[in-house]
């Protein structure tokens, strides 16, 4: 058997591998995928005086002992907040946990009621499992079962069991954007190109195809009669223009462009949104599809008629998004402009409302942002979505100690998020439901204990190597660690 000794070992990813045991180091620094060890001479024993690691640090164990010892598994009792250690459960037996990627897992331990550990265990609400000196798994205590121990002592025993701490995500539900009193409202929460969570800072500005509204006469393009502008408007209204993502005169521009802007509502009220486009469009407010039906006039008449929606909106800033499609003319009409969009938002919407430049909240102009015929429609990344939901929960007083190890641009291993994809979640579904839905197509996840609270690790799907579930339990011999993988 070979023994190796180093003052410092630094590893990134899985670049450092050893084929024999034991090894001893003064300092180990690992990042990303951690430092992984393999052996052909039995179980690897690692000893470190100092360890600094991140992400997959729990995948290896270490001790501060000067002599080599076998890896051991121990269990600790923690309080309801999982923030205060109550006791080391040294006398616990039947200690095991199931660690599952993209699932909750479970853990259990049993103590005799006449042991000194019993009082602490009875008051505990979490079990923390350690392999060596590294926390490997944490579970809730959701059941306490009292039985008669089958050993020679014949004492009463208490078995503690429960799901992993990821189960806390099953207690938090998805709220509507802005809260349950926000308007507009929907029974689903969509994160897409139309959502406020997606920044439009990098989007170019819209192009003004025609300033203001043309006179109410069918003389030059655009031709907005018979009734647009609606009652209360002057024949020409400043501050609301015909726009598109480009303007090439009177050529053929078939395809869909995306438009975004914001406006402010002072006090909750009903507003009036007038909209029309060549050839058709539909409107989103705060990521909610407000007009499910497209404007559907024949394409050569599509921008002659205005359409109106009168939603009730909450006080504050709102995000408007317009999906506008320019279709081919049938037949071709020479001298008629293609690619036109007009939207205006007015305060005081509803029956009998009068609309003018005096109550105009927003009109289409070059201040709008647009994407010109995108081939891939953007959406918030997984990191942005989860960060948004976590902040919302924490603002409601939930998951206060939780954090994410991923960011809006990279996953928990530092890999950039793959192509953006829209997600829709039902209002009232749990955060665990959200993760499982994402895991169907985009991610792998797991929860571990960090220094200040639970940490949610989220990785791009099919990029985590050790993806199989594993059950860890203390073996027949004291100090022996068995790993049983399901087939």
């Amino acid at each position: 058997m070979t023994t190796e000794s180093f003052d410092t070992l630094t590893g990134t990813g899985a670049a450092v591998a050893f084929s024999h045991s034991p090894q001893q180091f003064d300092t180990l620094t690992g990042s990303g995928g951690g430092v992984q060890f393999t052996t052909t001479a039995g179980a690897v024993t690692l000893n470190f005086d100092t360890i600094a690691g991140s992400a997959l640090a729990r995948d290896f164990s270490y001790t501060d002992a000067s002599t080599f010892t076998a890896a051991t598994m121990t269990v600790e009792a923690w309080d309801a907040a999982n923030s205060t250690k109550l006791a080391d459960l040294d006398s616990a037996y039947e200690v095991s946990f199931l660690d599952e990627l993209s699932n909750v897992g479970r853990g259990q331990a049993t103590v005799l009621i006449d042991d000194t550990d019993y009082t602490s265990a009875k008051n505990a609400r979490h079990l923390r499992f350690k392999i060596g000196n590294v926390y490997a798994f944490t579970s809730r205590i959701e059941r306490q079962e009292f039985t008669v121990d089958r050993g020679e002592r014949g004492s009463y025993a208490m078995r503690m069991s429960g799901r992993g701490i990821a189960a806390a995500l099953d207690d938090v539900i998805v709220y509507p954007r802005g809260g349950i009193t926000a308007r507009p409202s929907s029974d689903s929460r969509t994160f897409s190109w139309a959502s406020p969570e997606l920044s439009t800072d990098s989007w170019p500005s819209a192009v003004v195809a025609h300033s203001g509204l043309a006179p109410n006469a069918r003389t030059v393009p655009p031709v907005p009669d018979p009734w647009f502008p609606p009652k209360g408007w002057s024949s020409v209204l400043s501050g609301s223009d015909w726009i598109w993502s480009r303007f090439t005169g009177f050529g053929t521009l078939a395809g869909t462009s995306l438009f975004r802007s914001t406006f402010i509502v002072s006090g909750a009220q009903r507003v009036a949104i007038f909209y029309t486009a060549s050839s058709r469009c539909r409107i989103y407010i705060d990521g909610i599809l407000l007009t499910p039906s497209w404007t559907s006039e024949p394409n050569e008449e599509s921008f002659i008629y205005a359409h109106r929606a009168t939603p009730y909106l909450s006080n504050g800033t709102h995000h408007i998004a317009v999906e506008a499609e320019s279709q081919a003319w049938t037949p071709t009409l020479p001298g008629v402009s293609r690619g036109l969009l007009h939207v205006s938002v007015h305060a005081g919407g509803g029956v009998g409302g009068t609309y003018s430049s005096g109550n105009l909240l927003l009109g289409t102009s070059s201040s709008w942002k647009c994407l010109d015929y995108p081939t891939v429609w953007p959406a918030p990344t997984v990191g942005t979505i989860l960060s948004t939901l976590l902040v919302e929960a924490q603002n409601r007083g939930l998951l206060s100690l939780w954090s994410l190890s991923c960011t809006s641009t990279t996953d928990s291993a530092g890999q950039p998020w793959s192509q953006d994809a829209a997600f829709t979640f039902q209002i009232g579904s749990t955060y665990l439901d959200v993760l499982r839905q994402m895991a169907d197509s985009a991610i792998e996840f797991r929860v571990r204990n960090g220094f200040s609270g639970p940490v949610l690790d989220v990785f791009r799907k099919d990029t985590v190597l050790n993806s199989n579930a594993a059950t860890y339990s203390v073996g027949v011999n004291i100090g022996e660690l068995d790993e049983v993988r399901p087939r």
Side-chain angles (χ1 to χ4, degrees), residues 89 171 404:
L89 302 182
D171 300 332
L404 279 169

Side-chain angles (χ1 to χ4, degrees), residues 408-428:
S408 60
T409 56
T410 61
D411 73 358
S412 296
Q415 305 171 103
W417 291 114
S418 54
Q419 179 175 310
D420 299 335
F423 285 94
T424 298
F425 311 111
Q426 290 299 306
I427 300 300

Side-chain angles (χ1 to χ4, degrees), residues 448-462:
R448 58 183 169 86
N449 261 109
F451 290 108
S452 58
V455 178
L456 176 60
D457 293 329
V458 188
F459 307 93
R460 283 169 44 184
K461 192 170 183 64
D462 299 326

